[in-house]
Amino acid sequence: MVSTLARDAAPDTATDPDGRPYANGFRPAVLEWDGWTCADCIVCGLGAACADCRACTTFAFPYPPRWARPWAPGMPERGIEAFGGPGGMSAGRRLVDDGGDWVLIEFNRDAAATARAAGHWVIEADIRTLDPRHPLLRGVRRFHGSPPCQTLSGAGKRAGWNADEISELQSIMWQASEAFGFLEVDDLCSLYGGPHHYFGDVIDGMEDHPDVDGGELCGGGHLPPCMTPADFREWAASVVTDDRTALMAEMLIWPMCLVQIGAPLVSITMEQSANLLKQSPALAEAIQSEITSVEGLGWAWCSWQVADAADYGAATHRERAWMVATRYEEPRYADHVDGDKAARAMWAHVLKRTGRLPDWVPELDRRIEPYQGRPALPTVTVAAALDLPADWWADTRGKRGLNADGKPMGGGSFRLDTVGQCVTAPWYAIKFRPAHVPQGEGTNTITAPELGALVGFPRTYPWTYIPARVGARGVRNIAQMIADAVSPFMGAAVSSAVQGEDWYQPVATYQAEVYRLDAPDPEWADIPADPDHPVLPAQRTEHQSIEQLELFPAA
């Protein structure tokens, strides 16, 4: 869906809300709509469900037909999750608020199929083909986004680190408030052919105009939207070499368009690579300034911070940048800190190199602190998460040569009695081995459910792969999905800051279930290690994997 078309042809001359025609053919970039909703539906008025009504289904497409019915207080909160992936944020959200009504937007077909199998309503589409001014979205109260991080990741080509590109994109994102109708000016009369500029100055050559000292069309207000989402997207993409970087603009396009059409939006959350803050903070600054500025949305709170999923219950590290924004008041777990100290810690690498902080950075004097002084959740090691001996090792790469000190070259090996490194796609081929077994010669492999568990998903999560060719098994595709996903542990903590119940007890219970923390120790746990006759774990049983997901061991 590119846009929702008007049911009747728009008039030749555009008029403002007061019926005044704009001058010189000016037409604000708004979406025409005649006001029809399910409330006007004869079929639904006779008792039919929106899903069984052609008119409501057509009007709502590609969103749930039930959204054709106008949202009213007391109904489940509606939310849009952009770049929903396989559903990690949603899985975490359900731990603290299972009564919401969310729609996920995801382009990758395997991730979309996985999220759909997990029970979410998913629009499988490039988000740039959707228009956030769809009248159906007038009931949306929550928005979350996890834009692609490939151009910001240290493992990629780092196009998102390019200072010149980021500066250009930042400048464009600063214009979002004007593009989508949030810029307040002193005088709007130039739109109607009047003598004044937006900011009240007299236009050259119009000094003798009868309304130069004020008239019926003279007065302040907000400029009407002057760009469509498609126009703004094209503009953002024009200044970057990889248009995935330009997808960051969606974090302003969607909230601003939703508020402009009257949606009761009250929170925005975002997850992105930690390098967004560490290497390209100007983009974070642009988003924060447009959300909190009186010339933008003017919201009460917008905080940025880096948080690690391992600190909130996961068995592997997953350090990500998180943004939390609320419209009317501070979020739950709001914490005020020394912003200068936080900035110096965040950009210590820049200070060391240049002697000063980056030119454009978001304010770091506020953050969310979900623990609120409570004891941290138990630290879970990879060994504990996978029921493997604590003195074993994991090799994330194959057998490698030795350096001058006799150690394997290239890294990629770690003990299992620690919290794991951040999971990446190549982990589908990970091998586990006793300490006496040479590096690269382990035989114990990992399954997709176990890899997902390391990130924080239940072992029953329905990882799905749609074969691209006959015989394809999608081993790496599923591993990549798991590596890219939001950890449900962090999803729960951040979601709880803006909705639902407190995260602590639900997540503690969930952690115990995912990692079987209440289960008795395996039979081999208390047997002394014998390098010559190592005791191996019992064979993995059926409850630890699902037949359709037994992909990795046979890879």
Side-chain angles (χ1 to χ4, degrees):
M1 188 201 83
V2 176
S3 65
T4 301
L5 302 178
R7 298 179 185 278
D8 299 310
D12 294 334
T13 302
T15 58
D16 70 6
D18 296 323
R20 300 178 298 191
Y22 292 113
N24 303 320
F26 177 82
R27 187 172 187 79
V30 296
L31 200 64
E32 299 293 340
W33 172 53
D34 66 2
W36 188 94
T37 69
C38 175
D40 305 307
C41 181
I42 297 176
V43 176
C44 293
L46 296 175
C50 290
D52 298 323
C53 172
R54 179 177 297 179
C56 287
T57 301
T58 301
F59 171 64
F61 183 81
Y63 302 92
R66 62 181 177 275
W67 280 22
R69 190 176 301 276
W71 184 86
M75 297 174 66
E77 284 192 331
R78 295 177 183 175
I80 292 291
E81 182 176 334
F83 316 102
M89 186 70 185
S90 297
R93 186 186 304 116
R94 280 182 170 176
L95 294 176
V96 298
D97 183 8
D98 61 359
D101 190 0
W102 283 74
V103 168
L104 278 60
I105 301 169
E106 174 54 43
F107 180 64
N108 181 277
R109 65 177 183 175
D110 298 326
T114 298
R116 197 174 291 117
H120 306 296
W121 182 284
V122 183
I123 298 174
E124 186 178 333
D126 183 332
I127 195 170
R128 292 167 294 189
T129 67
L130 301 177
D131 194 325
R133 301 171 300 170
H134 192 307
L136 196 81
L137 302 178
R138 290 160 59 252
V140 172
R141 289 177 56 82
R142 309 284 182 186
F143 181 81
H144 172 79
S146 296
C149 65
Q150 290 90 336
T151 65
L152 291 164
S153 171
K157 295 183 178 180
R158 305 181 182 181
W161 295 22
N162 184 291
D164 292 334
E165 287 189 10
I166 294 304
S167 177
E168 291 287 338
L169 185 56
Q170 177 195 34
S171 297
I172 289 173
M173 292 171 68
W174 277 338
Q175 310 306 312
S177 54
E178 180 174 1
F180 300 118
F182 290 91
L183 184 62
E184 188 171 5
V185 296
D186 299 327
D187 206 326
L188 291 169
C189 73
S190 62
L191 294 176
Y192 311 105
H196 302 116
H197 286 293
Y198 291 157
F199 298 100
D201 299 326
V202 178
I203 298 173
D204 290 342
M206 301 192 74
E207 291 83 359
D208 296 328
H209 192 283
D211 292 332
V212 72
D213 294 320
E216 180 183 354
L217 300 180
C218 301
H222 287 88
L223 292 176
C226 60
M227 296 186 76
T228 66
D231 292 336
F232 196 82
R233 289 161 173 160
E234 183 178 357
W235 189 21
S238 70
V239 299
V240 295
T241 55
D242 190 323
D243 60 5
R244 289 175 296 183
T245 305
L247 289 173
M248 286 288 294
E250 299 296 328
M251 295 305 302
L252 289 175
I253 293 172
W254 280 78
M256 287 191 163
C257 286
L258 289 172
V259 173
Q260 184 61 241
I261 65 175
L265 195 68
V266 293
S267 72
I268 308 167
T269 54
M270 174 182 173
E271 179 259 5
Q272 191 31 294
S273 166
N275 284 326
L276 172 66
L277 285 178
K278 295 179 179 180
Q279 304 295 341
S280 304
L283 294 184
E285 188 280 335
I287 294 173
Q288 186 184 68
S289 65
E290 290 294 278
I291 289 175
T292 60
S293 170
V294 293
E295 295 181 347
L297 289 176
W299 280 23
W301 175 282
C302 182
S303 61
W304 280 99
Q305 66 196 81
V306 171
D308 187 348
D311 294 332
Y312 295 87
T316 52
H317 292 288
R318 181 153 299 216
E319 195 177 66
R320 295 289 188 267
W322 285 91
M323 184 196 78
V324 174
T326 48
R327 186 170 188 170
Y328 298 117
E329 56 189 15
E330 294 185 348
R332 181 187 278 159
Y333 318 132
D335 189 26
H336 295 267
V337 297
D338 184 335
D340 182 66
K341 181 179 180 180
R344 290 180 174 275
M346 179 70 69
W347 297 293
H349 60 293
V350 180
L351 275 171
K352 183 178 180 179
R353 187 176 70 250
T354 68
R356 59 188 179 88
L357 294 175
D359 293 333
W360 296 102
V361 298
E363 295 290 337
L364 299 183
D365 59 346
R366 63 190 72 178
R367 59 189 291 123
I368 62 166
E369 177 43 68
Y371 275 112
Q372 294 293 295
R374 294 172 288 192
L377 293 180
T379 297
V380 180
T381 66
V382 174
L386 300 184
D387 294 334
L388 289 171
D391 61 346
W392 275 33
W393 283 72
D395 299 325
T396 59
R397 305 181 188 179
K399 187 175 179 61
R400 304 184 308 283
L402 302 179
N403 61 20
D405 297 325
K407 297 181 179 180
M409 295 183 293
S413 298
F414 62 90
R415 288 177 59 95
L416 301 192
D417 60 354
T418 63
V419 174
Q421 305 163 11
C422 182
V423 171
T424 59
W427 277 39
Y428 74 88
I430 200 170
K431 299 290 179 62
F432 302 111
R433 59 181 171 87
H436 73 281
V437 173
Q439 188 278 331
E441 295 184 14
T443 58
N444 273 47
T445 56
I446 194 168
T447 66
E450 290 168 334
L451 192 63
L454 291 179
V455 173
F457 288 88
R459 285 171 169 78
T460 55
Y461 204 73
W463 302 107
T464 304
Y465 171 69
I466 300 173
R469 62 184 185 280
V470 176
R473 299 175 57 246
V475 173
R476 188 182 177 95
N477 297 66
I478 290 180
Q480 188 68 63
M481 268 198 288
I482 296 171
D484 290 342
V486 174
S487 172
F489 288 106
M490 279 305 306
V494 173
S495 293
S496 182
V498 296
Q499 67 189 93
E501 61 182 297
D502 177 54
W503 76 286
Y504 191 77
Q505 191 55 52
V507 172
T509 301
Y510 176 75
Q511 184 196 42
E513 293 172 349
V514 170
Y515 299 130
R516 299 189 289 272
L517 300 184
D518 297 330
D521 290 334
E523 60 184 17
W524 44 262
D526 297 325
I527 301 177
D530 183 349
D532 298 323
H533 301 88
V535 178
L536 301 181
Q539 292 295 315
R540 292 188 173 88
T541 55
E542 186 174 349
H543 81 279
Q544 289 179 292
S545 59
I546 303 173
E547 183 176 355
Q548 72 182 64
L549 298 178
E550 275 295 352
L551 301 174
F552 298 176

